[in-house]
Structure formats: C-alpha cells, structure tokens
Amino acid sequence: MPTNLIRWHYLWYVVAALAVMIAVIASHHLWSLNFVHVFCGLLWTGIDLFMGFILGPIMRVVDIAARKAVLLRLTPRTLFLMPTLSIITGTTGWYLAEDIGFTAMSWPQYAWVAAALVLVILMSIQGIGYLLPTNFRVCLELQKDNPDNARIASLTNRYFFAVALQGVTQIVTIIIMARFATGI
C-alpha cells in the first residue's frame, strides 16, 4: 500500500486549470467562457452523479478489500479534481452571467440568477465544508499501516450519500441553466 496517498504534484494541474480559468475570464471571450463553464460543469455533475448513484450503492455492498482497492485509486484523484471543477464552474458561471447581462436583470427575472447563485453557494459549502475534508480523512486513514475499516466504511457511506445529494442539486441547477439558455 502507498505510504502517501495525497499526490501533492496534482496541485500543478490545479494551478494550470485555475490559470486557464483566469485567462478566459480576463479575455471576456464569450464562447471560451461558456465552453469552460459548461465543460467543467458537465465533468463535475457527471462525476457526482456517477459516484453518488452508481459507484456509491456498489461500494456499500462489496467487501472491505474491494472497497479499499477502489478507494486507494479514486480518493487521491478526486481530492484535487472535484474542488477544482466546482471552483471553475461556479466562478466562470458568474462571469458568464455578468458578461451576458443576467446579473443586471430586474426582479422577477433576476430570481433565476439568485436561485442559481444560492445553489452554487450551497454546493460549495457542502463540497469545501464536508466532501473535501471527508475525502482527506479517508486518504489519511487509508495510508495508515492498520486502517480502521469501520471508520472508512462510515466515512465513505456518508460521502457517497452527500455526493448523490450534490448531484441532485446540480440537476436542479441544470434546469435553471436550461432556462438561461432558452431565454429568461
């Protein structure tokens, strides 16, 4: 088993992705901003839905050895990937809404923008306040010489439930985004 599951060199990918985000936002190139927003949003939502509704239920019923084998490979990757995708999606979404003029709308049309913003804030709080620390704790537990399997099972069961909840919230956000795309 690896002694250090936290792959700190993945931070270079995070820095590169955030640099692309900043460059696209600074360019005010609408197509590029929309592409980065939609692409990262699709990845974030797709991964959350897959993990919450497909992988999560499977992980609950497989034996501890199989669960540990999957987590040893999955956890180090999602530790940096998911927060990065959520930051880029939310940030580019705000700047896209601003550049298109959605943030200057009057009420009640602005309610759609406010609803999207509230959902992104809730998902960010859940992601940064619960999912990221839980992912980190699982990594730390898995790299111990004698990991506590019951603790790992408990953390991952709640983690996959929270990811499923986040996936449902993202579906609601996609409904709002479809409203944006077809005109408010």
Side-chain angles (χ1 to χ4, degrees), residues 154-175:
S154 173
L155 286 169
T156 57
N157 283 341
R158 289 189 307 244
Y159 178 85
F160 284 114
F161 176 77
V163 169
L165 180 61
Q166 189 149 75
V168 170
T169 307
Q170 287 169 325
I171 290 171
V172 174
T173 305
I174 289 170
I175 292 168

Side-chain angles (χ1 to χ4, degrees), residues 70-79 135-136 138-139 142:
V70 170
L71 291 174
L72 282 170
R73 285 154 190 84
L74 179 69
T75 306
R77 286 168 176 81
T78 59
L79 185 62
N135 206 350
F136 188 69
V138 169
C139 264
L142 283 169

Side-chain angles (χ1 to χ4, degrees), residues 5 16 31 73 76 88 91 99 117 129-131 136 158 170-171:
L5 291 176
W31 185 90
R73 285 154 190 84
I88 292 172
T91 305
D99 285 356
L117 185 59
Y130 178 74
L131 295 174
F136 188 69
R158 289 189 307 244
Q170 287 169 325
I171 290 171

Side-chain angles (χ1 to χ4, degrees), residues 29-41:
H29 187 256
L30 200 56
W31 185 90
S32 299
L33 189 57
N34 188 53
F35 177 81
V36 169
H37 173 67
V38 170
F39 185 75
C40 289

